[in-house]
Amino acid sequence: ALGDLAPDVRGRAIEALGAHGATRHADAIRERAETVEELPEVRARAILALAALCDRRSVDDWTRRAQRAKAPLDEADRRLGAASIAALGRLHPPDLAERLAPLVAKDSPPMVREMARAAIAAETKCPR
């Protein structure tokens, strides 16, 4: 279903894999997240599914995407940035406050500041 023609089917399949802890599919999910031609909504679902799998291999990429949410160039930056902030909050790497510091600054849009603060305050269920 990850290759289905319908983006909603791809997105729901990705969500289901994340919800069921299907870690053996992490590479396929990551491929959807990184495919530039994929719709931002499907890519965002893939980012969140990887976080649900406690997959830390994309933390640096998510940090870059999260920081783009401060001054997004398009809807993809906005959507992927929000998903990346949430994913970082779910994984809660030890340096999360440092990674999201630019987003809690006064010059960040209020919504982005709130998302970053919520991510920093979140507790993780992922092993460290």
Side-chain angles (χ1 to χ4, degrees), residues 8 24 44 91 94-95:
D8 194 45
R24 72 182 197 156
L91 287 176
D95 61 346

Side-chain angles (χ1 to χ4, degrees), residues 11-81:
R12 287 177 189 255
I14 288 166
E15 285 177 343
L17 291 170
H20 286 91
T23 55
R24 72 182 197 156
H25 296 285
D27 289 337
I29 295 169
R30 185 173 304 94
E31 184 179 326
R32 289 287 93 198
E34 295 173 356
T35 300
V36 177
E37 295 80 22
E38 182 60 88
L39 292 174
E41 180 60 30
V42 175
R43 293 177 71 193
R45 287 178 173 187
I47 289 168
L48 296 172
L50 289 169
L53 296 175
C54 299
D55 186 290
R56 297 181 181 278
R57 289 179 280 178
S58 299
V59 169
D60 290 336
D61 182 52
W62 296 341
T63 300
R64 285 187 294 279
R65 290 190 185 289
Q67 291 176 1
R68 285 188 209 150
K70 185 172 182 175
L73 297 178
D74 56 22
E75 184 57 31
D77 280 353
R78 199 175 340 279
R79 183 67 183 105
L80 298 177

Side-chain angles (χ1 to χ4, degrees), residues 115-128:
M115 286 188 296
R117 286 181 184 146
I120 292 168
E123 293 186 27
T124 185
K125 294 180 183 175
C126 296
R128 296 208 181 219

